[in-house]
Amino acid sequence: MSHAPSRVRSGPALPAGHTPAGKPRGVPALQQGTALVTGASSGIGAAVVHRLTAEGGWRLVLNGRDPARLTRVAAEASAIAFPTDHTQPGAHRKLAEFALDRLGRVDVLVACAGIGWAGDFRTMPTSAIDELIDVDLLATMHLTRHLVPHMVEAGSGRVVIIGSFAGTVGVRSEAVYSAAKAALGAFADALRYELRGTGVGVSHVVPGVVDTPFFDRRGVPYLRSRPKPVPPERVADAVWRAVSRGRDEIFVPGWLGLPARVRGVAPSVYRRLASRFG
C-alpha cells in the first residue's frame, strides 16, 4: 500500500512555554480529539482503539503491520487504517504526514507498536537485534519527532509511550527487549522535561505481562507463575487515564511500581533478589 507524500501544515513556531498572548501554558488533559495509534491491529493497540472509541469524540488513524487485522479493527472503530512496516525507510515520515493530512492535526500519539525476542543473547541473530530496535524504539522516536513540533505549535497534545516492566528492571533472556524499553522510559522522561511549558505532555505506561499474542509471535511462551498476565483492556484503561487526566507514568498493575522503586533505592538488594527469584 503506497501513498503520495501529503502536505503537512506548518506555521511560525511559538516561543516554548507561551501562547500567542505570551501567557505560560500548562499541559491540558484531553477528553476528545484526534489520535494516531500504532500497533493497533491487535493486543494493547487494538484495546486502546476500542477504549477511545467507547469514550466517543475521537477521530483515529490506526497503524499496524498486518493489513487484514488492521482493516478489521479500523472498521469496528470507524477509523482510518494505514498499514506500514516500521523497518522500511521513510515509513515514519509517511505515516505522520498521512495522519496530519487526514486528521488536520494529531492531538495524541499512542505508541504501542512492539515486537519481542526471548533467548540467550549469544545466539540472537543480528537481524533480530536490528528489527527489534527499529520497531520498539526508533519507530516511536521518529514518529514523535515528526509530530511533536505540530503539537507544540498548536499548544496542546500528548505522547503516550507503551513501555514495559522489562525496561524498568531488566529481564533475563530478554536483553535487547529490556534495553529498548529502558531507552523508551529515559526518552519519555527527558522529552517531558524538554517540553515543559509548551502545553504538550508525555506519558509512560509501564505494563507487566499482558495477555496478548506477543508471546506466541516472539516464539517463546510465557511460563512464569508470577506475575500473572493482565488483559490488554487494563493497559488501555491506563492509557485513557494518561490522556484524560494528564498522568506522567502509570504501572499496570500498580504494584509493579514497588520493585521498580526497590531497584532505584537499593539496586544491590534488588539484584540479589532478582538472581534468586528470576
Side-chain angles (χ1 to χ4, degrees), residues 12 16 83 97 119 170 179 194 223 229 231 258:
E97 289 179 349
E194 184 176 325
L223 300 175
L258 177 60

Side-chain angles (χ1 to χ4, degrees), residues 256-278:
L256 287 179
L258 177 60
R261 288 192 290 272
V262 171
R263 184 181 185 276
V265 174
S268 61
V269 172
Y270 175 82
R271 291 189 184 102
R272 286 197 297 270
L273 292 171
S275 297
R276 180 176 179 181
F277 298 106

